[in-house]
């Protein structure tokens, strides 16, 4: 079962310039910035109510996120839905014939589980699923 939108991720060429718009001009709060070396991105977290905007700046031109931006330009990269049981959600999507990027969830350092659904099965939207650690 989908509980909520956890975050919407936006790929940007340069975090400082993006933060100037989203924080200084639009007025969102900047929670923190962190590097995610495994994905070759720097990420800024901007909470909005009980969801968030996540700004992604690629740090390596060969990474998946960098190649996405080279092909499609900056803009919305993915939408992340929080689910109560990520294994059951992946099983259900697989049974429906939806192509998955991750057949099983990855467990993050904070215990959170995540997986991506392939955009060719979603009408072009990269969908991320999260199951938060309890
Ligand atoms: Zn995400």
């Amino acid at each position: 079962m989908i509980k909520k939108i956890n975050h919407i991720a936006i790929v940007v060429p340069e975090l400082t310039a993006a933060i100037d718009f989203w924080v200084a001009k639009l007025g969102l709060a900047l929670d923190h910035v962190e590097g995610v070396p495994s994905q070759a991105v720097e990420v800024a977290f901007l909470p909005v109510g009980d969801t968030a905007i996540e700004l992604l700046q690629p740090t390596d031109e060969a990474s998946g996120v960098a190649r996405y931006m080279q092909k499609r330009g900056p803009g919305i990269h993915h939408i992340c839905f929080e689910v109560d049981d990520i294994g059951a959600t992946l099983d259900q999507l697989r049974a429906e014939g939806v192509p998955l990027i991750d057949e099983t969830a990855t467990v993050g350092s904070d215990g959170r589980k995540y997986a991506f659904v392939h955009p060719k099965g979603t009408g072009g939207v990269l969908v991320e699923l999260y199951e938060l650690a309890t």
Side-chain angles (χ1 to χ4, degrees):
M1 188 193 77
I2 290 180
K3 296 160 84 172
K4 59 178 260 195
I5 292 177
N6 182 282
H7 60 271
I8 296 171
I10 297 171
V11 61
V12 303
E14 217 277 301
L15 267 190
T16 308
I19 287 168
D20 180 66
F21 168 70
W22 292 94
V23 177
K25 295 194 172 69
L26 191 60
L28 298 184
L30 175 62
D31 186 66
H32 69 283
V33 176
E34 72 178 48
V36 184
S38 62
Q39 312 263 347
V41 286
E42 284 263 313
V43 183
F45 293 92
L46 286 55
V48 184
D50 70 346
T51 183
I53 297 288
E54 212 180 80
L55 303 174
L56 305 171
Q57 179 196 325
T59 56
D60 175 348
E61 279 184 19
S63 68
V65 175
R67 281 185 280 113
Y68 178 97
M69 189 168 63
Q70 286 152 17
K71 207 164 126 189
R72 304 175 76 157
I76 291 181
H77 181 260
H78 65 266
I79 297 177
C80 177
F81 294 102
E82 205 174 299
V83 299
D84 53 1
D85 183 339
I86 196 167
T89 304
L90 290 171
D91 286 346
Q92 183 195 330
L93 291 170
R94 195 180 294 108
E96 297 285 350
V98 177
L100 305 174
I101 291 176
D102 302 307
E103 290 296 328
T104 56
T106 302
V107 182
S109 53
D110 56 359
R112 172 174 51 82
K113 296 178 190 165
Y114 61 95
F116 283 93
V117 180
H118 203 289
K120 71 186 179 202
T122 65
V125 180
L126 179 59
V127 171
E128 182 177 29
L129 302 170
Y130 258 18
E131 179 186 328
L132 297 185
T134 44

